[in-house]
Amino acid sequence: MTKNYLKLQFYSLARNQGFARDAVAAFCLELNPTLSDLSDVKTAVSEAVTNCTVHAYKDGVGLITLECEIEENSLHIKVSDTGGGIPDVEKAIQPFFTTLPDDERSGMGFTIMQTFMDEFRVNSVQGEGTVVYMVKCFKPEVENA
Amino acid sequence: MQIKSGLYGGALYIKLIGEMDEYSAQSVREKCDKLIEDNLSVKKIIINLSEVAFMDSTGIGFLIGRYKKAARASIPLYVEAPNMAADKILNLSGIYTLIPKAE
């Protein structure tokens, strides 16, 4: 299979969250994902994009860049923003850690990304932005007997 | 996201229909809280998730928020019929210890 690549840029408006996860789901259909894998990817993308809206650009609207690459049986996803950055990434990725408990935030976003995807990394520079990088490996297609 | 509700045998049933994310959650929160406030004499509240096509961690925050609201009126809260994906998130968060699945 040849590589495939997708790049989307959109405003960090909450109403783009559904569009972003559905676009990634549609893009990775060529890998014949199971419903469960597809749901994992949609959820992880939704978490990453929501973080940009709620945290990175909390004081306004900025651009979110969503890139996907298909390589062999893997989907590589990069979600970047140029927002405020995360002061302490180690702390931020702890389950139930949230800076906004009063807004009914669960603090489970990064935990879900980590659990649902096969690879997960966060790079963040305060005042410059954050990049979340995730990989989902799909099982090679099996012939139906 | 849409909501349907009904009272059956002293219980308030709230059915969520559609996609639950940070965008849709705000209006659902308000509608659910209104329903709870209008029915403080019920024995229990059951939130049915069978028609929730998508849910991210917003759903965890949403359920804990409604749990707290119901708990202030001493009403137990249950969830019912989450699909496989919702169940995975709810399990991961450990929320079933607070909000059990309705039998």
Side-chain angles (χ1 to χ4, degrees):
Chain A
M1 192 187 287
T2 54
K3 279 190 180 185
N4 201 354
Y5 175 76
L6 168 81
K7 182 175 179 176
L8 288 174
Q9 255 188 343
F10 49 92
Y11 281 145
S12 59
L13 302 170
R15 64 174 183 271
N16 286 333
Q17 290 159 7
F19 163 76
R21 62 178 178 259
D22 287 344
V24 177
F27 180 72
C28 75
L29 281 182
E30 67 174 78
L31 292 171
N32 293 317
T34 61
L35 277 180
S36 160
D37 284 344
L38 203 56
S39 157
D40 288 353
V41 167
K42 282 177 73 171
T43 309
V45 169
S46 197
E47 300 295 350
V49 171
T50 301
N51 276 350
C52 299
T53 307
V54 174
H55 299 287
Y57 299 118
K58 63 182 171 202
D59 299 321
V61 174
L63 273 179
I64 301 173
T65 306
L66 171 61
E67 288 170 90
C68 296
E69 192 167 282
I70 288 173
E71 207 183 335
E72 300 294 326
N73 291 304
S74 299
L75 173 70
H76 299 248
I77 301 171
K78 204 167 109 178
V79 180
S80 332
D81 66 68
T82 54
I86 304 169
D88 186 343
V89 171
E90 281 308 305
K91 205 167 161 185
I93 63 175
Q94 296 303 311
F96 304 110
F97 176 82
T98 176
T99 51
L100 299 167
D102 296 338
D103 286 358
E104 293 189 358
R105 307 281 169 205
S106 68
M108 288 297 283
F110 280 134
T111 305
I112 285 175
M113 291 181 236
Q114 262 178 320
T115 311
F116 286 19
M117 301 296 276
D118 295 300
E119 281 180 44
F120 166 83
R121 282 200 305 277
V122 191
N123 286 315
S124 191
V125 179
Q126 271 198 282
E128 290 184 20
T130 301
V131 179
V132 171
Y133 176 76
M134 305 182 278
V135 181
K136 185 79 174 173
C137 305
F138 298 95
K139 288 184 188 70
E141 198 177 346
V142 211
E143 292 290 330
N144 285 326
Chain B
M1 174 160 252
Q2 303 289 312
I3 283 189
K4 280 185 188 167
S5 66
L7 288 166
Y8 305 102
L12 171 64
Y13 283 78
I14 300 172
K15 185 175 206 169
L16 306 181
I17 302 159
E19 303 207 333
M20 163 76 79
D21 61 12
E22 115 89 15
Y23 176 57
S24 62
Q26 187 54 44
S27 72
V28 184
R29 263 184 214 125
E30 287 164 13
K31 286 180 201 162
C32 273
D33 284 352
K34 174 89 172 58
L35 277 169
I36 295 172
E37 283 158 22
D38 289 347
N39 293 282
L40 289 176
S41 57
V42 295
K43 285 184 289 189
K44 59 181 173 180
I45 299 168
I46 296 164
I47 298 186
N48 184 296
L49 302 176
S50 63
E51 289 186 41
V52 174
F54 175 84
M55 190 179 94
D56 62 18
S57 67
T58 310
I60 302 167
F62 167 83
L63 287 171
I64 292 175
R66 307 298 74 70
Y67 166 81
K68 286 181 181 167
K69 188 163 189 72
R72 281 197 288 273
S74 304
I75 306 170
L77 182 70
Y78 298 87
V79 290
E80 187 174 67
N83 70 13
M84 188 183 61
D87 191 51
K88 189 171 176 180
I89 288 173
L90 296 178
N91 255 321
L92 181 68
S93 70
I95 205 172
Y96 290 134
T97 55
L98 288 180
I99 309 168
K101 268 192 255 191
E103 292 299 320

